[in-house]
Amino acid sequence: MGKAENSRIALPIGSNLDRFIMRNQEDFPYASGELSQLLRDLAYAGKVVNREINMAGLAGITGAYGAENVQGEEQQNLDVAADIRFTRALKKGGEVAAIISEEAEEIIDLSNPRSKYIVAMDPLDGSSNIDVNVSIGTIFSIYRRISPQGSPIQMEDVLQPGKNQVAAGYILYGSSTMMVYTTGSGVNGFTYEPSLGEYILSHQNMQMPKDGKIYSINEGSYKSFSESVVNYIESCKDKGYSARYIGSLVADFHRNLLKGGIYIYPSTAKAPNGKLRLLYECNALAMIAEQAGGRATDGKQRIMEIEPSELHQRVPFYVGSENMVLEAEKA
Ligand code: AHM
Ligand code: MG
């Protein structure tokens, strides 16, 4: 059997992440292996953060760090720890030219002359759940830089629309820890097996159901929702759908990916452009949703078509089962 033919055989459930990444790389004969290494670096940092989250209550690293991040939100100890772990892993790995992080105001230019990738990340999302032992997650997007390798990073390198993503994913620290990612040819999920220290392929070629019966939105802001959002919520109630809202984007998204559902963070009085950040929260989940057959928009426009103008730009976010998102857009 030739190599190309051989590489088309999907690895079975139970294969480990490293093997999976290597096998995917074989499908691209000219691949340099840098993206593979970058994905492994992210997975490794996820293991370290996972360990810290598991120990947080014992190690006294819950609670506020005493500073605010660029969004004016209080940083938690674990937010800061996760930012350090991921940044360090990417820096050491050497495949990344620059990082955009929720926790850093400016671009982190790693001045690495031989790297061509840009990573946008939210190292630990779901801050209100960090201290209370509820699921939280890491979100990441990977882009190719536009300006020449070795030159200083330009705004155009980081302000790229989501459709330019080379890969995207998340790590969910939930009842089990999982890494879910796509490189543009389907979505696969790996469950972390702590006694082996390995991520194991557990969810192959994930598909989001076209319809669902779960809607996830913070109804506390109901009074400031637009008429269209109110109409949509009312239609969900009329149909007897279930409301499920963890308040951790990755966890709400992951549940809807598996079971079918919609997550909406619309504009509200408090957050006129929505709350979630385009570059390191919405784009990654939009790519995963689309790769799994779902849909992601700001209520009108495809998320991945939006041309970003700022690093920490916010957008309204509608993501989930295709027919549900279509219906919400029409409501
Ligand atoms: P964060 O980046 O400060 O953690 O905020 C993002 C989180 C999402 O995970 C979650 O879906 C949303 O904020 C919840 O916001 P709200 O409490 O306004 O419903
Ligand atoms: Mg966040």
Side-chain angles (χ1 to χ4, degrees):
M1 196 182 289
K3 186 179 171 188
E5 205 180 328
N6 181 49
S7 61
R8 257 179 264 118
I9 300 169
L11 280 178
I13 295 276
S15 306
N16 73 29
L17 177 66
D18 281 352
R19 252 191 99 199
F20 186 91
I21 291 174
M22 285 315 294
R23 171 60 69 87
N24 273 3
Q25 191 185 315
E26 286 166 11
D27 284 343
F28 300 96
Y30 301 108
S32 61
E34 289 164 70
L35 179 61
S36 301
Q37 187 53 44
L38 172 43
L39 288 166
R40 282 195 290 261
D41 293 343
L42 288 164
Y44 172 75
K47 289 186 200 178
V48 178
V49 169
N50 175 63
R51 189 182 61 193
E52 286 176 352
I53 291 169
N54 288 170
M55 295 290 289
L58 297 173
I61 47 175
T62 55
Y65 171 70
E68 286 187 348
N69 70 8
V70 286
Q71 334 281 337
E73 295 150 350
E74 195 176 64
Q75 286 180 301
Q76 305 292 307
N77 275 336
L78 274 171
D79 288 16
V80 178
D83 191 45
I84 294 169
R85 299 295 177 230
F86 278 94
T87 305
R88 194 179 287 165
L90 296 176
K91 215 173 191 172
K92 274 198 189 153
E95 285 74 32
V96 177
I99 300 171
I100 315 302
S101 164
E102 178 178 315
E103 305 301 334
E105 185 159 7
E106 305 292 344
I107 302 169
I108 305 165
D109 187 341
L110 297 178
S111 307
N112 191 336
R114 62 176 184 86
S115 33
K116 58 173 179 274
Y117 291 109
I118 308 284
V119 171
M121 65 174 181
D122 184 347
L124 206 55
D125 182 67
S127 18
S128 66
N129 287 322
I130 291 178
D131 264 1
V132 292
N133 216 348
V134 174
S135 302
I136 43 186
T138 298
I139 308 173
F140 61 86
S141 287
I142 303 173
Y143 294 86
R144 237 174 239 114
R145 65 178 297 175
I146 292 170
S147 63
Q149 269 172 253
S151 63
I153 289 296
Q154 306 295 315
M155 266 327 229
E156 61 168 357
D157 294 319
V158 295
L159 295 183
Q160 297 192 52
K163 64 183 179 194
N164 290 2
Q165 287 170 107
V166 175
Y170 58 80
I171 300 168
L172 168 62
Y173 311 98
S175 45
S176 57
T177 293
M178 273 192 82
M179 176 158 159
V180 173
Y181 81 97
T182 178
T183 51
S185 49
V187 179
N188 291 282
F190 300 81
T191 301
Y192 182 58
E193 214 291 24
S195 66
L196 298 174
E198 302 246 34
Y199 295 89
I200 308 289
L201 178 61
S202 52
H203 295 65
Q204 213 169 26
N205 191 21
M206 298 171 84
Q207 293 294 319
M208 189 175 251
K210 291 283 171 201
D211 291 288
K213 291 187 173 155
I214 295 173
Y215 68 101
S216 320
I217 187 166
N218 184 346
E219 277 194 72
S221 302
Y222 190 88
K223 294 232 157 113
S224 70
F225 289 163
S226 67
E227 200 187 330
S228 135
V229 174
V230 167
N231 288 343
Y232 183 67
I233 294 176
E234 291 306 317
S235 78
C236 289
K237 291 183 200 254
D238 289 343
K239 289 182 200 136
Y241 287 179
S242 293
R244 292 281 184 277
Y245 191 71
I246 298 168
S248 266
L249 176 60
V250 173
D252 278 311
F253 176 86
H254 185 73
R255 183 202 53 243
N256 293 349
L257 171 61
L258 295 179
K259 293 192 160 183
I262 186 171
Y263 172 98
I264 306 179
Y265 207 112
S267 5
T268 64
K270 244 201 280 173
N273 296 320
K275 178 184 182 191
L276 301 174
R277 277 54 58 115
L278 175 61
L279 287 184
Y280 43 79
E281 291 174 332
C282 303
N283 273 335
L285 300 188
M287 183 175 183
I288 292 185
E290 288 193 10
Q291 283 289 320
R295 184 173 172 89
T297 70
D298 65 357
K300 296 183 190 85
Q301 192 185 2
R302 186 176 168 230
I303 287 290
M304 290 202 285
E305 295 287 343
I306 299 174
E307 291 287 341
S309 53
E310 288 170 33
L311 291 185
H312 299 284
Q313 183 170 342
R314 297 173 196 264
V315 284
F317 194 37
Y318 294 55
V319 66
S321 293
E322 186 177 28
N323 293 336
M324 295 182 87
V325 176
L326 283 169
E327 223 172 280
E329 288 164 15
K330 280 190 279 169

